[in-house]
Structures are given as C-alpha cells and as structure tokens.
Amino acid sequence: MSTLRFHALQETLNRKPVEIKENGRRSEMFGENVFNEHAMLQHLTKDAYQSVMNAIEFGTKIDRKIADHISTGMKEWAISKGATHYTHWFQPLTGATAEKHDAFFETIGNGRAMEKFGGGQLVQQEPDASSFPNGGIRNTFEARGYTAWDPTSPAFIYGTTLCIPTIFVAYTGEALDNKAPLLRALQAVDNAATAVCKYFDKNVSKVNASLGWEQEYFLIDAALAAARPDITLTGRTLLGHSPAKGQQLDDHYFGSIPSRVMSYMRDLEQECMLLGIPVKTRHNEVAPNQFELAPIFEEANLAVDHNSLLMDVMEKVAQRHKFKVLFHEKPFAGINGSGKHNNWSLATNTGINLLSPGKTPMKNLQFLTFFVNTIKAVHDNEELIRAAIASASNDHRLGANEAPPAIISVFIGSQLSAVLDELENVTKGKLSPQEKTDLKLNIVGKIPEILLDNTDRNRTSPFAFTGNKFELRAVGSWANCAGPMTVLNTVMAKQLKDFKVEVDALIDEKGLKKDEAVFNILREYIKASKKIRFEGNGYGEAWEKEAKKRGLSNNKTTPEALKAQISKETIALYEEMNVMSKVEVEARHEIELEEYILRIQIEGRVLGDIARNHVIPTAISYQNTLIENVSGLKEIFGKDFKKLAAEQIDLIEKISEHIAGINSKVNAMTDERKKANKFEGQKAAEAYCNKVKPYFDEIRYHCDKLELLVDDNVWPLVKYRELLFTR
C-alpha cells in the first residue's frame, strides 16, 4: 500500500492542466442544448408552442394530440444536435438522479428502420425502477412505477441523450421522488402568496419561489483519492492526522485559483452554459482544496433540477481532469466542511421581489408582510426545517468550523430587529391618523435606507436575511435541494394562508381598514416569533443554554431530528396544503432512517477494515523493524543497550498500546453493530448513532497516533497534507 501511496503522489505531481478552448461568448452558448423557448419556436407549431407555455405559466394540461406534435419537434431538434437516445430523467428518493436510455431507433419491417418518438413516450413511461427506495409504498412484485413529463423544466441534451425531466410516481399515485412534492409545495405557496399580494396589487396573478444555491465542494486528485479506501467508499476520510498547516492562515480563501482547478472550472462552466445552468461565481473556499460555484437565481423547481444535474456534470468533468469531487459535508476533520446555501425568495409575475422593499410605503408594507410571515413560519416549524437538512453526513458539519448549529434560528440584523421592535408597539385595533403617518414615514418608509447598510451576515445562523432574500445556510453540500425547498415553501404557504384568514377576519368582523388589519396581525406575529430571532454567536454552550431557555429545539443528531417528520402536526400540515399524504410522509421518514443506518453501517465496516488490514499490519511491520534494531544494539552493546535504545523501546510500547486499542475498539464496535442490526427503524438508527458511531472517534484516535509514530516511508494511506496541498 505504501507503494500505491507514493505512486499516486508521483502521478499527481506529473499532472498538467487540461487545455480548454473557449467556444465563443457564453451568452451565445447559453442554453444551446436546451429545448427552451427559442428552440420551441423553431421546431413546434404555434399551437404546440402555446400549449407548452400555458402549462408552464398556468399549469394547464397538454392535450395528447398536441403532445404528439411536441414530441415530433423535440425529436427533430434532438437528432439535429446529435442525440441518438432519450430518457425520462427523474430524482428518486436516493438524493441522486436516475435515467434509463431508449433509442429513437425503431424497426418498421422489410429490413427498414426509422427514428420514432411519440407523444406517449414523451408524456409518460413505465421504467419499472422497483429497486429504488419506496418506504413500503410499492412492493417488488407490484413493480409498476411511472414517470410523467414536467413541462415546467425544459428538456436538454447531455452527451447523445435527450433528457426529459419527469416526476416518478407509484402505480397507486403516490410520489416516489423529490420533484412531485416540490411541485405541489410550489403550487401551494403560489396560491397563498398570490392571495396575500392582492392586498397590495390586484394585478398579481402568480408568485414564483426563487432559489439560488451555492455549491461548495472539494477537489482531490483522482489517484490520491483512489489510494484511500474510505474516500472511495464513503466520500470522506475516516482517519488521518491533521497536518501542521490547515486553514488557520486563511491563505486559501478567495486566493488565486490553482491552474488545474481553473481548467476544470472553465470546462465545467462551458458544459453548464450549454445546459442552461446559469453559473456565475467561482472561488476558493476557506479550507485547502475547497471551492465554490454559484448561479444566478432561478425559479425554484428549475434551480433544483439544475443543481441535481450540475452535481452529475461536475463528477463527469472531473474525470476528464483526473480529479475526484467530494460533496460530503465533512470529508476532512479539523477544517471547514461544505454546505449548499439555499437562497430563497418569492417573486410576482409583475416583477416584484416580495422580500425586497420598494419606493412607496405600500410596497414596504408588502415587504414587511412577507418578511414577518417568513420568520413566523420558521418559528412555528423550526423542528421540521431541522429535519429537512438532517443526514448522517451533515451531522458531522453542523456546529463546527463556521457551519451553523443544529439549533434553528433566524438572523435579520440589528437594524431590522429595531424595526420589528417598533412595530410591537402598534396600537391594537384602529390606528389614529397620526400613528398611521408615523408608521409610514418613520418606520416602514425608512426600511430601504436601513437595508442599504444591512450587509453583515452571521455565518453561524442557519437562516439569515441577506438584504432581499433568506439564506438557509444549514443545507448540506450532498443534499438534494428539493427536500428543504419542499419544507420551506410548504410552511410558508400555510403561514400565508393563515395570515389572510386572520386579516380578513379583522376587516370583516372588526371593521378595520386593510392597513390597520395587516399591522395588527404583524404585531402579534412579531411578538409570537421573537424567540426564534438571534443575532449572536451560534456556537457553544452559552447559545445552547439560551436556546433551551427560549424553548427552541436542539436535535443534534439525525435520528432525533427526523422524528419531526412524522408528527401529527407535520402530517396535518402536508395534507392540508396538498403536498404529501400520510403514506408519502411516513415512507420518506422510513427511507431517511434506513439511509442513515446504512451509511453508518458502511462507515463502520470500512473503518474496521482499514484499521485492521492497513494500519495494524503497517504498525506491526514497523514495530518489527524497531525490535530488530533493539536486538542488534543489545548484541553489540550488551547491558548498556537500554540507554541507547530507550526511544526505540518507548516507540515499541506505544505502538503496542495503540494496536491493542484499535483491536479492542473494533471488536466492541462490531459487537454493537450486530446488536443494532436486530432492531428496525428508529431503534436501529438510535443504536447506530449512540452505540456504534462513538467508536469511530476512538478507533481513529489510535490510528492517527500510529500515523505519527510509524515511518512515513511505510505508511500506506495518503496523508492529509498530501490530499489537501498536492495540486
């Protein structure tokens, strides 16, 4: 293995940046391989084009005959671009994407063939796909699962395949994917937000949730990654001593991008341009060999699709550049992990960002309405939001090295906090003319000026207002954005629905004017949600004590956090908003628990294998060398050898202690794993979390100590300093 390590290092040092040729202006490349409006206008009839646009804008169904026209145009466009196959591209409950390719090619008899792709093949397929997680919704012997076209997310060509974004449902109609619940949540928030917008602008007929994700990731040379079984099998390092130099000098953050990485980024960005993914920002992140890219905001469903596609594209492009992309939230101990910040807002079809103030008091009151309702929605559903970002991998990141803690709180800045404090004092009931004027001029009217200086962001806050949007910073880099976006838009839809009911009641029953009713309800929401607002440092025992005092939850582990997914309140919420049924909610909970169990199980088996089959044999081999040295000194110097061999003898003893420690802890971990395997569901997850996982750190401790004791020339595993600083 040590030979493999040094061979990998040599291979890495000999790498040269891949030469990338720019293919013209990016604005001209953008969306070239996407069946977008421009492509549709060229390849569809007027009726077919309008039918697709109506489906996108108004959610109307596409007639099957029209679907035949659309499929013909889409096929001709795809073939003209070099496509030979098509696939329904969907997002099963694995968090990844899935595809089964079929050729356009069909035989028609008499030794002849043609390219065929009809409306039926476009709109719906039966891919079987029975082995995907289903949480008991479908049985293998009832394997029918259907994919159905989502016209709101345009088809695209990747390689030689036409990819058609679809939902994936069971034959009984339940969603088996991440997209279907997200689409329902987006419909719910559209309906609720549009109704509230009518208070301020009767012309608003649609509200879209927008999303701008920020994707953090590590790039490790492929040869170095291949020499680490833990990276290959789990996506992270299960052991490895921290190097003397990590990120403490802050010299990597926003620094000059390494040449090989720059070539990778340029290649990736060109692929993104062709696929219509509007990536804009790239930079070095805080940790060595950690980077980030971010796009321009898009409609949330499309943004989720683009992020899922991007992660696949990143891995494929990385292969060309001899890199391994690490999306794990904490691939290396002791340095920053990777998140996927979800920047979320709501925008009207009239072009107004509802989380950005305007030039008039009315626009600012509209901003306050959506701003305060968002805070209230997070306050009332903080445990569900915590569950939405829970995973075995994200547990390692939350609360460490600048990542937000597991306690959900909202940061809005001191200036906006002062505004909300002022609004707490609004008179109950009808407002005097003087109070109305004062509110509009001195509180609501000054919000735009306040936000100009509200640029500070609390990096420890899981949910922060950043000027014209909220940023959910706790999402992990490995996650599918659909999960947290489904939750956030669902709770916001419910909150806005309740808000409208309460405002209408004050108008109809109490005779209040609209503005008075809005101010009265906002005042009560500000008071009720005050405990979720936090401006301080989110790390440490002080905040944990304060959060407990406030009554906020602190679900530190995934098994704890996931309980909120199946509470009576959560199920009632999803059913009321028509986002998920009880069966769908419980199925997802079961799947996420099972994934947690399997990931910890795999990590335990891999760690035990590396510790026993790599670390211990290497330590024994080096120990034997030391013993031979001591024996030789004894033979030469007789009884005086102990003075000369004191350090060697000390090393031999320490190595024996650590070998014994590894052996006993691996045995204990294996025993606990066997016990955990006798349980199911929540009990199994808790057993793996509380009984199996704690041994990881104990085994790692002994392995990492041996790394410092054993001769570097024989150590088999690529070290942290090589993984993080070999470029």
Side-chain angles (χ1 to χ4, degrees):
M1 277 295 291
S2 61
T3 304
L4 176 60
R5 173 189 161 207
F6 289 113
H7 176 77
L9 279 167
Q10 188 59 53
E11 196 172 329
T12 302
L13 292 170
N14 289 334
R15 306 270 198 219
K16 301 293 182 188
V18 175
E19 187 176 343
I20 303 299
K21 293 182 179 179
E22 296 285 354
N23 296 320
R25 292 188 178 187
R26 298 199 170 186
S27 58
E28 295 172 355
M29 294 168 56
F30 186 71
E32 192 174 308
N33 289 343
V34 180
F35 197 60
N36 51 25
E37 283 189 49
H38 177 71
M40 285 192 287
L41 283 168
Q42 291 183 312
H43 292 87
L44 298 184
T45 63
K46 184 178 179 181
D47 287 345
Y49 168 79
Q50 195 58 53
S51 183
V52 175
M53 297 309 296
N54 288 341
I56 294 170
E57 292 177 22
F58 308 114
T60 56
K61 289 187 177 182
I62 295 175
D63 182 83
R64 203 54 173 266
K65 290 182 180 179
I66 294 291
D68 283 329
H69 292 297
I70 297 168
S71 64
T72 299
M74 192 182 289
K75 177 196 69 177
E76 293 305 315
W77 170 79
I79 290 173
S80 74
K81 293 283 186 179
T84 58
H85 289 68
Y86 65 91
T87 183
H88 275 201
W89 183 82
F90 59 101
Q91 299 171 42
L93 297 172
T94 58
T97 59
E99 52 198 62
K100 183 181 80 170
H101 298 194
D102 286 303
F104 290 121
F105 172 83
E106 293 276 354
T107 56
I108 56 175
N110 299 321
R112 293 181 299 162
M114 65 179 291
E115 276 74 31
K116 186 179 178 183
F117 180 61
Q121 294 161 308
L122 166 66
V123 173
Q124 181 177 302
Q125 282 196 311
E126 185 183 338
D128 180 0
S130 59
S131 293
F132 284 120
N134 60 73
I137 288 178
R138 61 197 290 235
N139 297 308
T140 303
F141 65 85
E142 296 172 326
R144 293 190 302 278
Y146 297 94
T147 49
W149 177 35
D150 170 20
T152 64
S153 184
F156 58 91
I157 295 170
Y158 191 51
T160 58
T161 304
L162 171 66
C163 300
I164 302 157
T166 59
I167 61 170
F168 179 43
V169 297
Y171 73 102
T172 47
E174 290 91 356
L176 293 168
D177 68 341
N178 287 299
K179 179 186 271 281
L182 173 65
L183 290 173
R184 296 171 192 161
L186 294 174
Q187 182 64 53
V189 82
D190 173 17
N191 293 339
T194 299
V196 172
C197 281
K198 298 286 187 185
Y199 287 139
F200 308 99
D201 184 355
K202 299 292 185 184
N203 295 316
V204 174
S205 58
K206 186 175 180 60
V207 173
N208 283 320
S210 62
L211 170 64
W213 39 261
E214 302 168 26
Q215 182 69 59
E216 295 176 339
Y217 62 99
F218 282 83
L219 277 182
I220 306 300
D221 187 87
L224 299 182
R228 291 283 308 221
D230 48 358
I231 290 179
T232 301
L233 296 175
T234 72
R236 75 177 182 110
T237 55
L238 297 173
L239 49 84
H241 199 280
S242 296
K245 180 180 182 292
Q247 65 184 46
Q248 62 266 48
L249 296 178
D250 296 323
D251 53 344
H252 186 258
Y253 189 50
F254 278 24
S256 177
I257 299 172
S259 299
R260 280 184 65 201
V261 176
M262 179 61 81
S263 293
Y264 166 78
M265 288 178 169
R266 289 173 59 204
D267 196 0
L268 173 64
E269 287 167 359
Q270 289 201 69
E271 292 283 0
C272 288
M273 289 299 106
L274 294 171
L275 292 167
I277 306 174
V279 294
K280 186 174 178 68
T281 303
R282 64 189 183 202
H283 63 83
N284 290 2
E285 254 301 332
V286 175
N289 274 350
Q290 185 187 31
F291 308 94
E292 180 182 302
L293 82 160
I296 297 169
F297 279 56
E298 297 180 285
E299 185 274 325
N301 176 48
L302 181 58
V304 168
D305 280 1
H306 277 165
N307 183 253
S308 297
L309 175 60
L310 172 92
M311 293 172 74
D312 186 48
V313 173
M314 287 176 73
E315 290 183 328
K316 289 177 178 175
V317 174
Q319 292 173 9
R320 296 202 289 260
H321 293 257
K322 308 300 181 186
F323 278 126
K324 171 77 173 176
V325 182
L326 302 185
F327 292 117
H328 193 288
E329 282 80 2
K330 198 73 171 178
F332 302 100
I335 59 174
N336 277 23
S338 296
K340 183 181 291 180
H341 303 173
N342 278 205
N343 294 278
W344 170 88
S345 189
L346 296 170
T348 68
N349 63 312
T350 57
I352 301 300
N353 178 353
L354 295 172
L355 289 174
S356 182
K359 296 179 180 179
T360 66
M362 180 63 75
K363 292 295 183 185
N364 292 335
L365 181 55
Q366 178 176 265
F367 158 75
L368 269 178
T369 296
F370 284 90
F371 179 70
V372 172
N373 271 280
T374 303
I375 296 171
K376 180 70 161 48
V378 174
H379 169 273
D380 291 354
N381 299 276
E382 46 103 358
E383 286 198 271
L384 183 56
I385 292 170
R386 167 66 181 96
I389 50 95
S391 68
S393 51
N394 208 21
D395 279 357
H396 293 286
R397 166 181 168 260
L398 294 177
N401 298 98
E402 295 189 3
I407 303 167
I408 300 298
S409 64
V410 178
F411 170 84
I412 63 173
S414 57
Q415 300 96 329
L416 281 171
S417 289
V419 170
L420 298 194
D421 290 343
E422 289 274 357
L423 289 172
E424 275 192 55
N425 300 316
V426 171
T427 300
K428 188 173 183 178
K430 293 186 178 182
L431 309 180
S432 68
Q434 185 177 347
E435 187 174 10
K436 283 185 182 180
T437 302
D438 188 54
L439 279 171
K440 289 179 179 179
L441 293 180
N442 297 323
I443 299 177
V444 178
K446 290 185 177 178
I447 288 173
E449 299 168 29
I450 288 171
L451 288 185
L452 287 175
D453 298 321
N454 189 37
T455 55
D456 181 46
R457 287 191 282 173
N458 187 338
R459 295 180 66 84
T460 66
S461 174
F463 198 77
F465 184 68
T466 57
N468 59 2
K469 61 189 181 296
F470 278 97
E471 180 179 16
L472 181 54
R473 301 189 66 253
V475 181
S477 58
W478 227 349
N480 185 313
C481 295
M485 283 296 102
T486 297
V487 169
L488 185 55
N489 286 289
T490 300
V491 301
M492 189 60 177
K494 166 65 173 168
Q495 178 57 50
L496 291 171
K497 181 183 176 184
D498 291 348
F499 171 77
K500 187 170 190 307
V501 169
E502 293 184 60
V503 170
D504 287 348
L506 289 183
I507 295 172
D508 298 337
E509 298 170 18
K510 301 291 184 180
L512 269 62
K513 292 184 178 179
K514 178 187 65 181
D515 289 4
E516 292 173 329
V518 168
F519 274 123
N520 269 260
I521 300 302
L522 291 183
R523 179 194 63 231
E524 297 308 311
Y525 284 179
I526 291 166
K527 290 178 180 178
S529 62
K530 199 166 187 176
K531 70 181 183 183
I532 200 76
R533 286 159 39 201
F534 178 64
E535 307 298 312
N537 184 354
Y539 293 142
E541 292 183 10
W543 169 228
E544 289 191 13
K545 288 180 181 177
E546 173 63 21
K548 186 177 181 180
K549 183 180 174 183
R550 294 184 182 199
L552 300 176
S553 66
N554 185 11
N555 297 322
K556 293 185 178 181
T557 68
T558 291
E560 281 183 88
L562 292 181
K563 291 177 184 178
Q565 288 183 327
I566 52 169
S567 69
K568 290 181 180 178
E569 294 80 7
T570 296
I571 292 170
L573 166 69
Y574 280 128
E575 290 185 330
E576 180 185 346
M577 304 316 297
N578 295 314
V579 172
M580 281 190 281
S581 67
K582 185 173 186 285
V583 170
E584 290 171 318
V585 173
E586 291 176 341
R588 278 155 178 76
H589 178 254
E590 182 181 321
I591 288 166
E592 290 190 39
L593 278 179
E594 183 69 14
E595 181 182 353
Y596 179 87
I597 293 164
L598 292 174
R599 287 201 181 276
I600 302 299
Q601 184 186 81
I602 290 167
E603 288 190 351
R605 294 175 66 183
V606 171
L607 179 57
D609 170 52
I610 294 174
R612 279 195 162 148
N613 297 323
H614 296 74
V615 174
I616 287 179
T618 302
I620 290 173
S621 176
Y622 180 60
Q623 191 180 51
N624 287 337
T625 300
L626 293 173
I627 291 170
E628 287 177 19
N629 178 263
V630 171
S631 297
L633 290 173
K634 184 177 181 181
E635 188 177 325
I636 295 170
F637 296 103
K639 62 181 182 180
D640 293 332
F641 87 98
K642 287 187 178 180
K643 186 195 304 181
L644 300 169
E647 186 171 336
Q648 292 92 316
I649 292 170
D650 183 51
L651 277 171
I652 291 168
E653 289 177 354
K654 286 179 178 177
I655 288 171
S656 291
E657 289 172 8
H658 291 304
I659 289 173
I662 291 172
N663 200 46
S664 66
K665 297 301 180 184
V666 170
N667 284 337
M669 177 184 69
T670 304
D671 289 342
E672 290 295 342
R673 203 165 65 231
K674 289 176 181 177
K675 293 177 187 176
N677 290 337
K678 295 177 182 178
F679 300 119
E680 292 182 351
Q682 187 71 31
K683 285 187 176 180
E686 288 174 354
Y688 266 99
C689 179
N690 301 322
K691 299 294 185 181
V692 177
K693 189 180 170 186
Y695 283 108
F696 290 9
D697 288 339
E698 295 180 26
I699 295 167
R700 178 175 191 149
Y701 169 80
H702 292 292
C703 291
D704 289 358
K705 287 296 183 183
L706 285 174
E707 182 182 326
L708 293 179
L709 297 175
V710 172
D711 183 359
D712 182 66
N713 284 322
V714 298
W715 189 253
L717 300 168
V718 179
K719 295 187 175 184
Y720 265 35
R721 67 169 186 263
E722 296 154 352
L723 289 166
L724 294 172
F725 292 98
T726 307
R727 295 166 185 164

